Amino acid sequence: GSEELLDLFNRQVTQEFTASQVYLSASIWFDQNDWEGMAAYMLAHSAEEREHGLGFVDFANKRNIPIELQAVPAPVSCAEWSSPEDVWQSILELEQANTRSLLNLAEAASTCHDFAVMAFLNPFHLQQVNEEDKIGSILAKVTDENRTPGLLRSLDVVSFLGPCLFRSV
């Protein structure tokens, strides 16, 4: 019951901080390989995942849910990736793992009839649907466009770097 809910809630905090580290590692890989747009995308998502983790901590503090920060495992090493597809595949798997983790937490909250936790989780579930769809679509484009030399570099600038260049300061 509630012990499982506490455990899963704490694990979700760790999952969010772990995701932040994986996105940061991906940003470093893209940066080292001169994919500035994808590097910027990954860096922004690293910050977003950290914000999610802090959101869980904030909610827990309001509800007096004891939070025990756990060790965050080292992310995938940049050396393990050999292509943009490899990186995006890792990111898709990361998001799928995060979805499973959130669903396990929601199931435990439902079993305990903790409707506040369930309500708190709802926006995260919807965001995961969008994230998995978006990452899957990006992975398909990266895979397709990488077959034509130079085309993926154009995608990097237009799709990822473009919005950063034209954002008002």
Side-chain angles (χ1 to χ4, degrees), residues 8-163:
L8 290 170
F9 199 95
N10 273 280
R11 273 199 249 166
Q12 189 61 41
V13 171
T14 306
Q15 176 71 30
E16 300 294 342
F17 291 136
T18 299
S20 177
Q21 291 286 84
V22 174
Y23 272 107
L24 180 58
S25 185
S27 177
I28 291 165
W29 187 91
F30 279 122
D31 207 42
Q32 289 172 344
N33 289 280
D34 299 317
W35 300 95
E36 293 87 356
M38 291 187 224
Y41 178 95
M42 295 296 177
L43 189 60
H45 272 70
S46 174
E48 189 179 296
E49 297 293 350
R50 180 170 166 70
E51 283 299 313
H52 291 170
L54 294 174
F56 273 84
V57 170
D58 182 57
F59 177 84
N61 286 336
K62 288 176 183 167
R63 288 285 312 283
N64 295 315
I65 296 172
I67 290 290
E68 297 261 343
L69 292 179
Q70 302 163 350
V72 176
V76 178
S77 160
C78 290
E80 292 179 44
W81 292 315
S82 60
S83 70
E85 291 104 311
D86 288 348
V87 182
W88 284 105
Q89 183 62 47
S90 289
I91 293 298
L92 180 59
E93 289 166 10
L94 171 74
E95 290 295 351
Q96 290 166 338
N98 202 24
T99 296
R100 283 192 301 276
S101 181
L102 285 162
L103 290 173
N104 290 338
L105 177 55
E107 193 175 350
S110 177
T111 301
C112 294
H113 305 293
D114 193 326
F115 299 107
V117 169
M118 289 163 63
F120 171 74
L121 292 175
N122 277 340
F124 292 98
H125 294 307
L126 296 174
Q127 190 172 21
Q128 284 307 116
V129 170
N130 292 331
E131 279 302 309
E132 283 191 38
D133 179 57
K134 183 169 66 180
I135 301 294
S137 176
I138 290 170
L139 179 58
K141 286 185 178 92
V142 166
T143 302
D144 284 350
E145 300 201 10
N146 211 23
R147 292 188 185 121
T148 306
L151 195 56
L152 190 55
R153 294 274 174 199
S154 299
L155 176 76
D156 183 61
V157 172
V158 174
S159 298
F160 295 100
L161 198 53

